[in-house]
Amino acid sequence: YKKVKSIPAGETPINIALSSNSKWIAISQGINGSKEGRPDAIWIMDRKKMEVEAKIDIYLTRYRERRDVFPIFSTDNKKLYTVESSTGFLNVVDTSTWKPLKKINLGAYPHNPLLSSDGKKLYVPDLYSRKVFIVDTERDQVVDSLKIDGLPSAIALNQDEKTMYVADIENHQVIFIDIETHNVIKTVSVGTSPQNLILTDNIFLYVLNTYSNNLSIIDIRNKENIKTLDAGILPKRMAIDQTGKRLYVVSEDASIRVIDLVKQEMIKAIPTDIT
């Protein structure tokens, strides 16, 4: 593993999303010093050319700062959703024109959005309203919410999408919830400030714990935390490769850790110039 290329991605890139057709990469931007509070919120990269195709302006309240922005493409790639933590809005963008279509008010500090497998529902955990909002993507409106006894920062769904797993950064746990009844099935303790979740093979749930600098592995069949791996200093993001055999963790120590999901061991830490 080694870094092969660097591509300009704006002054303050935060999060990225890849369209399912692999045509576009959406790169969210944070604060860029705009006094009007109108930075280019999203850069759209043509994946083949690795060139900027569009820059999307999403208006903010005057002098309002833009912080975490989470982009996600709809399943058919006709829309791009962006969740703005600082404003509490979910923005809907038309990918044929890259123009905003709608702004949906969610709550106080929404985080990592997740689409259902059929793309008909978008789940958005909202930290300070202590809820997970459920958005109908055909009508683009909130149709339900799940109340959480804690501060939800990320979610995952099991294969039949009857159980939701919610990372709770207040109580340092993952909450198992029956989506239909909204009842809590189980809580499993993890590290400090769990920020991201990834479920593999409908068996192992990987939990990235930012302030304890580690990765918890939960066996969802037995509902147990079975292993903890080093994840670098202040790990913030993780992603799985297409084979489902490698997990990549990005930390604030300017490294990317590669986890072998078969052996559940770290293979290597790749140094970068990312800060």
Side-chain angles (χ1 to χ4, degrees):
Y1 294 95
K2 64 178 181 179
K3 187 180 75 173
V4 295
K5 191 175 183 180
S6 294
I7 301 167
E11 292 182 10
T12 52
I14 305 175
N15 298 300
I16 68 171
L18 175 66
S19 60
S20 61
N21 58 9
S22 296
K23 185 177 180 180
W24 301 301
I25 299 173
I27 306 169
S28 66
Q29 304 291 324
I31 303 166
N32 74 347
S34 170
K35 291 183 179 180
E36 286 76 26
R38 288 179 50 198
D40 298 320
I42 306 289
W43 282 27
I44 304 298
M45 303 284 290
D46 182 302
R47 186 172 175 269
K48 288 185 178 180
K49 297 178 181 178
M50 281 301 175
E51 296 176 353
V52 177
E53 179 175 320
K55 295 180 181 180
I56 306 171
D57 254 351
I58 296 176
Y59 290 79
L60 297 178
T61 305
R62 190 172 176 82
Y63 304 122
R64 193 78 174 264
E65 292 182 340
R66 170 171 279 122
R67 297 190 184 276
D68 258 344
V69 182
F70 299 88
I72 186 170
F73 285 93
S74 62
T75 304
D76 59 10
N77 299 306
K78 292 182 179 180
K79 291 182 287 190
L80 172 68
Y81 294 96
T82 69
V83 173
E84 298 234 7
S85 293
S86 58
T87 64
F89 285 117
L90 171 66
N91 301 291
V92 187
V93 177
D94 184 342
T95 60
S96 65
T97 62
W98 300 116
K99 300 294 183 184
L101 296 173
K102 192 174 184 179
K103 188 181 288 287
I104 303 167
N105 192 3
L106 292 180
Y109 225 77
H111 264 56
N112 307 294
L114 179 70
L115 276 169
S116 60
S117 58
D118 60 10
K120 293 183 180 180
K121 292 179 180 178
L122 181 68
Y123 297 89
V124 187
D126 192 284
L127 208 64
Y128 298 130
S129 66
R130 298 175 179 266
K131 293 179 180 179
V132 175
F133 290 101
I134 303 174
V135 178
D136 182 318
T137 58
E138 293 180 355
R139 293 177 288 169
D140 286 329
Q141 66 181 46
V142 176
V143 293
D144 199 0
S145 66
L146 281 72
K147 184 68 176 176
I148 306 299
D149 185 15
L151 299 177
S153 60
I155 61 170
L157 300 172
N158 72 346
Q159 200 167 51
D160 62 13
E161 300 191 359
K162 293 182 179 180
T163 305
M164 177 184 292
Y165 309 100
V166 182
D168 170 16
I169 67 173
E170 181 179 43
N171 302 298
H172 317 304
Q173 64 184 3
V174 172
I175 307 170
F176 292 45
I177 297 178
D178 183 306
I179 295 177
E180 184 177 353
T181 65
H182 294 199
N183 291 331
V184 173
I185 301 168
K186 176 81 172 179
T187 61
V188 178
S189 296
V190 290
T192 307
S193 191
Q195 298 277 357
N196 289 143
L197 300 178
I198 291 181
L199 180 63
T200 63
D201 301 323
N202 210 41
I203 299 174
F204 298 112
L205 183 67
Y206 294 86
V207 186
L208 195 60
N209 307 303
T210 298
Y211 292 138
S212 57
N213 303 322
N214 57 27
L215 181 74
S216 298
I217 305 175
I218 295 175
D219 184 330
I220 65 168
R221 298 165 301 182
N222 299 320
K223 302 180 182 63
E224 292 180 350
N225 186 348
I226 60 172
K227 196 170 186 178
T228 301
L229 300 176
D230 171 64
I233 299 173
L234 297 178
K236 290 293 183 68
R237 302 284 183 266
M238 61 179 175
I240 194 169
D241 72 358
Q242 292 181 337
T243 68
K245 295 180 180 180
R246 296 287 185 270
L247 182 72
Y248 301 91
V249 178
V250 180
S251 303
E252 287 198 1
D253 59 4
S255 71
I256 299 174
R257 277 165 171 73
V258 185
I259 309 294
D260 184 321
L261 296 183
V262 177
K263 297 180 179 180
Q264 294 184 340
E265 297 176 353
M266 187 181 78
I267 301 172
K268 187 175 183 180
I270 306 170
T272 72
D273 56 2
I274 302 169
T275 56

